[in-house]
Amino acid sequence: MMGMALAALDGTIVSTAVPQIVGDLGGFAVFSWLFSGYLLAVTVTLPVYGKLSDTFGRKPVLIAGIALFLVGSLLCATAWSMGSLIAFRVVQGLGGGALQGTVQTIAADLYPLKERPRIQAKLSSVWATSSVAGPALGGLLAGYADWRWIFLINLPVGAVALWLVGKYLREPGRTRRTVATGTDTSRSARTPSAERHRVDWAGALAVFATGALLITALVQGGVAWPWLSAPSLAFLGGAAVLAAATVVIERRAAEPIIPGWVWRRRTIAAVNLALGALGLLMVAPTVFLPTYAQSVLGLGPIAAGFVLSAMTLSWPVSAAFSNRVYNRIGFRQTAVIGISLALLVLLAFPLLPFPGQAWQPALIMLLLGAALGLFQLPLIIGVQATVGWSERGTATASILFCRQVGQSVGAAVFGAVANTVLASRLAAPPAPGLPRDLDSVARALEKPSSLTAEAADYLRRAVDAAVEHVYVGAAFAAALSLLVLLVLAPRRFPVLAEKDDS
């Protein structure tokens, strides 16, 4: 939980201090890469760390990830320009990829199936706490100390996490399958041949390069350059070529970073696609709801953050009780109920009155968190229960990787949807000179004194319409996830007996 707190606190703290960082270092045009660069590094390293944890064990990978994250944090605190800070954020992300995937895998290693929902709910509570404490702590440090402390605060937390992991984490003896012979060999009594592993560095580099080009294209498309421009086509084309090369490399590798069984096994493939759709729909509340709360409801940044935090409060509670449902009706059926409820909740958002009260979207988020708690956790635990120790890290990382890619795709797609709706609404504005994209509209509404009452009301209605369309798109993503579960996922997951997993 301490290791997970490093990754959970990071995003919420940094976002609060962006004005102070830009004021000190400049670079307003590229500051979004403080988040995009970190997300890129986390996403593309998830499969690599998953395979490494299956090969060498979870503990060394987790310790290396925490150490690298702390090195990146220290470097960020010493940044002298926006370019250097972005580069050091990438270093942080290289460590963050190990934190997110490995912690989830360790939880499945250490606890039997019946206890995993309780442990996973505790891990989820870290994110819930961070969503509330992060903005407040970031605001205090940026306002009363210096923005560099938002990175230095990671050092004592990480030091405690390193000490706890190093002293107390004891990986239990697990059964592993050697590649050469296909026979099971105990970790506590392996033959020398079972210890010889060939790390697929070519595959790791190919996965990293493919993910880097794809996510860069998704993050920058429609922002830094038009979607149909030469840079977008070059990045997307390069990602497609590298993806094909990655498939060739992985097929020839003795121990591939992304083995073919991840997609050949029906259960894992279905969950990967379902959680990729979850990444898509999560863009609506996490990216667009704060803008809606500030621009339409007129709330301040902190109050807008609390509207969003309602979802993170109900999510872990629902997840903790999900085992009482899936123990009765199964993993797939529980997830189907969760995503069906999420679909209804997302469709309810466009029905909110204009401008409405803050409690109304907060209630929507509370219900959405409860629904998604029933959806995500049973799928993760279900997949982890279908594989042994030597495959669990790779399987868990593939799930998280697909969800992260889904978020990147969702940010690009829904950003285009929101800006298209705004452009259509502002094609004939009531006053000349009004902005025509979401960011510019939000900035204009931050200073309503520069607008007439009629123009301000028109802009608020335009933002309201844009966010409503995004939520409809998120509902469509939920429907896709539901369809995947009903068509592709097996009715009963092929769960391994506990004795085969230990």
Side-chain angles (χ1 to χ4, degrees):
M1 291 175 71
M2 291 291 290
M4 184 70 82
L6 289 171
L9 278 169
D10 184 76
T12 53
I13 289 182
V14 173
S15 61
T16 310
V18 163
Q20 288 76 18
I21 294 174
V22 172
D24 188 14
L25 300 180
F28 179 80
V30 295
F31 85 87
S32 63
W33 272 99
L34 290 176
F35 307 97
S36 301
Y38 179 86
L39 173 66
L40 169 64
V42 168
T43 303
V44 299
T45 55
L46 274 169
V48 177
Y49 285 126
K51 180 61 180 178
L52 290 178
S53 73
D54 283 343
T55 304
F56 300 109
R58 327 296 189 208
K59 186 173 181 177
V61 172
L62 182 57
I63 289 176
I66 294 175
L68 189 55
F69 188 92
L70 295 183
V71 169
S73 298
L74 184 59
L75 290 173
C76 286
T78 64
W80 57 90
S81 66
M82 184 60 74
S84 64
L85 182 57
I86 291 171
F88 297 149
R89 284 282 288 167
V90 171
V91 175
Q92 263 193 317
L94 295 176
L99 294 176
Q100 293 199 25
T102 310
V103 170
Q104 297 275 6
T105 306
I106 289 174
D109 288 342
L110 296 181
Y111 296 92
L113 182 59
K114 64 181 180 180
E115 294 186 28
R116 287 176 197 166
R118 177 174 58 86
I119 300 305
Q120 292 284 1
K122 288 184 177 181
L123 292 176
S124 298
S125 71
V126 174
W127 293 91
T129 304
S130 300
S131 69
V132 177
L137 182 58
L140 287 173
L141 292 175
Y144 296 98
D146 187 273
W147 63 264
R148 298 178 190 274
W149 280 99
I150 67 175
F151 298 106
L152 293 175
I153 197 68
N154 291 330
L155 300 183
V157 177
V160 174
L162 275 176
W163 177 73
L164 290 172
V165 170
K167 184 173 182 179
Y168 293 108
L169 177 58
R170 298 288 181 266
E171 294 190 67
R174 297 290 176 181
T175 299
R176 298 187 66 179
R177 185 173 295 276
T178 64
V179 175
T181 65
T183 58
D184 289 336
T185 307
S186 171
R187 281 174 58 88
S188 58
R190 294 184 202 152
T191 63
S193 63
E195 290 287 354
R196 297 196 202 103
H197 295 282
R198 283 183 285 178
V199 178
D200 180 21
W201 293 117
L205 181 61
V207 170
F208 191 95
T210 303
L213 288 184
L214 175 62
I215 295 175
T216 300
L218 294 174
V219 169
Q220 294 295 91
V223 179
W225 49 70
W227 279 110
L228 296 180
S229 65
S232 277
L233 297 178
F235 274 101
L236 291 173
V241 172
L242 285 176
T246 301
V247 172
V248 174
I249 293 171
E250 295 298 81
R251 283 183 174 179
R252 296 178 178 178
E255 298 186 49
I257 291 294
I258 303 181
W261 57 260
V262 168
W263 292 104
R264 286 195 298 269
R265 296 183 190 177
R266 183 180 169 191
T267 302
I268 302 176
V271 171
N272 282 343
L273 293 174
L275 290 187
L278 172 65
L280 274 171
L281 74 86
M282 284 300 297
V283 171
T286 57
V287 176
F288 290 93
L289 184 65
T291 298
Y292 171 88
Q294 294 181 63
S295 300
V296 177
L297 302 182
L299 302 178
I302 295 179
F306 280 116
V307 171
L308 176 60
S309 69
M311 178 179 67
T312 62
L313 295 177
S314 59
W315 191 317
V317 175
S318 174
F321 288 97
S322 65
N323 65 322
R324 300 189 180 185
V325 182
Y326 69 66
N327 283 335
R328 291 177 178 270
I329 64 175
F331 294 113
R332 190 192 78 158
Q333 290 305 105
T334 304
V336 165
I337 292 173
I339 197 63
S340 299
L341 293 174
L343 173 60
L344 296 176
V345 171
L346 290 167
L347 289 174
F349 187 91
L351 302 179
L352 294 179
F354 176 88
Q357 302 295 319
W359 67 266
Q360 295 167 331
L363 177 61
I364 292 287
M365 291 302 99
L366 191 71
L367 296 175
L368 182 62
L372 294 179
L374 278 179
F375 168 69
Q376 177 181 261
L377 189 58
L379 293 181
I380 293 177
I381 292 178
V383 165
Q384 290 176 333
T386 66
V387 296
W389 188 97
S390 61
E391 296 177 338
R392 188 172 292 140
T394 299
T396 303
S398 73
I399 295 170
L400 300 178
F401 175 76
C402 289
R403 189 181 66 185
Q404 292 283 87
V405 171
Q407 284 185 294
S408 299
V409 173
V413 171
F414 293 144
V417 168
N419 283 323
T420 299
V421 173
L422 280 175
S424 65
R425 293 300 176 99
L426 297 174
L434 290 181
R436 298 199 176 191
D437 63 84
L438 191 63
D439 290 337
S440 300
V441 169
R443 286 196 294 270
L445 288 173
E446 287 178 1
K447 299 178 180 179
S449 59
S450 61
L451 302 170
T452 64
E454 181 185 9
D457 182 72
Y458 192 85
L459 287 182
R460 289 192 179 93
R461 291 184 180 275
V463 172
D464 180 65
V467 176
E468 285 180 358
H469 279 75
V470 168
Y471 269 81
V472 171
F476 181 74
L480 284 178
S481 185
L482 176 61
L483 182 64
V484 165
L485 290 178
L486 293 176
V487 174
L488 296 182
R491 183 175 294 274
R492 297 190 65 84
F493 285 15
V495 175
L496 298 179
E498 292 286 347
K499 63 180 181 180
D500 294 333
D501 191 38
S502 61

